[in-house]
Amino acid sequence: MVYTADLKSAARKGIRVRVPSLVPKIMNKSPERGTFRSQCSIEDAVAAGQDPATDEDVQRALDIEQMVNDAKAQREADERWRENNLEYDLRSTEWICNKAKASDAYAQNIYAALCNQDWQKNEVWLLLKGETYSCSWRYAGGIVADMREQGDYIDWYCSGIRGEQGIDYEPPLTFVSEGTVTEEIREDFFKLGWIPVDNDEV
């Protein structure tokens, strides 16, 4: 761990410094997350006989991808982003990431539980404040890709709808529709300190 000169100086002088983020938990990350659109642009350029290295549409897509990735990295480096954040808890907890890596069905069930569902930190003050976590279907797919350290949101996006129709998946069908919280996911999220919000009571 590398400490800044200011923190070293403060420590030498015996000054107490609140530094909760000095050793943040490592978050899983997929190297392919956020690349779907640029890959499509590259494939389109190749199909049209263009050189992706000089194609303006490809370069524009890559520039946007870089801008989004930079903004995401900056946001995730902020300790305030990590507070009461279900994404952070999922991506930084080894045992649940390992379960997602070991089972496509379990990973899809996490994705489905994040869609059309608000989650709340199971802490009295946060419950009283009514703070919740939710995200879009695409973003949920990206979280699962990061947990598994492979792929992009598109690998999971609408997988519940496709699963309901029996498309792309061999029986027995273990994928669930978006918004479904299986008992296993409910229990595992509870271990992380999160409970689903009953939207009927909101």
Side-chain angles (χ1 to χ4, degrees):
M1 174 63 66
V2 177
Y3 297 94
T4 66
D6 287 344
L7 286 176
K8 289 179 181 178
S9 174
R12 279 196 288 276
K13 294 175 183 175
I15 300 171
R16 294 177 63 119
V17 182
R18 181 176 178 271
V19 284
S21 62
L22 278 180
V23 190
K25 290 190 276 185
I26 301 297
M27 282 191 299
N28 280 16
K29 178 174 178 11
S30 168
E32 292 94 33
R33 185 172 181 185
T35 63
F36 174 66
R37 292 196 171 119
S38 63
Q39 288 302 313
C40 287
S41 294
I42 291 171
E43 291 171 10
D44 289 345
V46 170
Q50 304 294 325
D51 180 359
T54 58
D55 186 85
E56 290 184 8
D57 290 338
V58 170
Q59 295 309 309
R60 190 177 302 112
L62 290 171
D63 287 344
I64 292 172
E65 179 182 302
Q66 186 62 55
M67 181 178 66
V68 170
N69 287 341
D70 290 346
K72 183 172 180 285
Q74 184 174 5
R75 182 177 71 247
E76 292 179 358
D78 187 340
E79 71 175 62
R80 291 169 296 181
W81 177 84
R82 298 192 291 267
E83 293 176 0
N84 310 317
N85 188 328
L86 180 55
E87 176 185 0
Y88 175 69
D89 290 349
L90 287 170
R91 290 174 53 198
S92 63
T93 303
E94 186 176 10
W95 65 264
I96 200 166
C97 287
N98 287 341
K99 285 184 74 170
K101 290 178 180 180
S103 167
D104 289 352
Y106 183 80
Q108 193 279 335
N109 291 175
I110 290 176
Y111 158 79
L114 292 172
C115 298
N116 296 346
Q117 177 64 56
D118 292 335
W119 290 88
Q120 206 163 31
K121 195 78 170 175
N122 192 22
E123 296 177 7
V124 174
W125 179 239
L126 296 175
L127 291 170
L128 290 173
K129 288 171 65 177
E131 290 187 6
T132 61
Y133 176 90
S134 62
C135 63
S136 70
W137 290 20
R138 284 182 175 86
Y139 200 85
I143 291 174
V144 174
D146 273 341
M147 291 176 70
R148 288 167 60 97
E149 298 183 297
Q150 65 179 30
D152 201 355
Y153 81 89
I154 197 66
D155 297 317
W156 306 100
Y157 181 61
C158 290
S159 57
I161 292 174
R162 296 198 305 264
E164 283 182 340
Q165 297 169 351
I167 301 172
D168 295 337
Y169 309 115
E170 296 293 330
L173 200 56
T174 51
F175 282 19
V176 296
S177 60
E178 282 78 1
T180 299
V181 181
T182 66
E183 193 58 37
E184 182 178 16
I185 296 299
R186 184 184 301 271
E187 291 174 0
D188 285 352
F189 278 31
F190 184 78
K191 292 174 187 174
L192 296 179
W194 292 87
I195 56 175
V197 175
D198 187 346
N199 292 315
D200 292 335
E201 297 180 1
V202 175

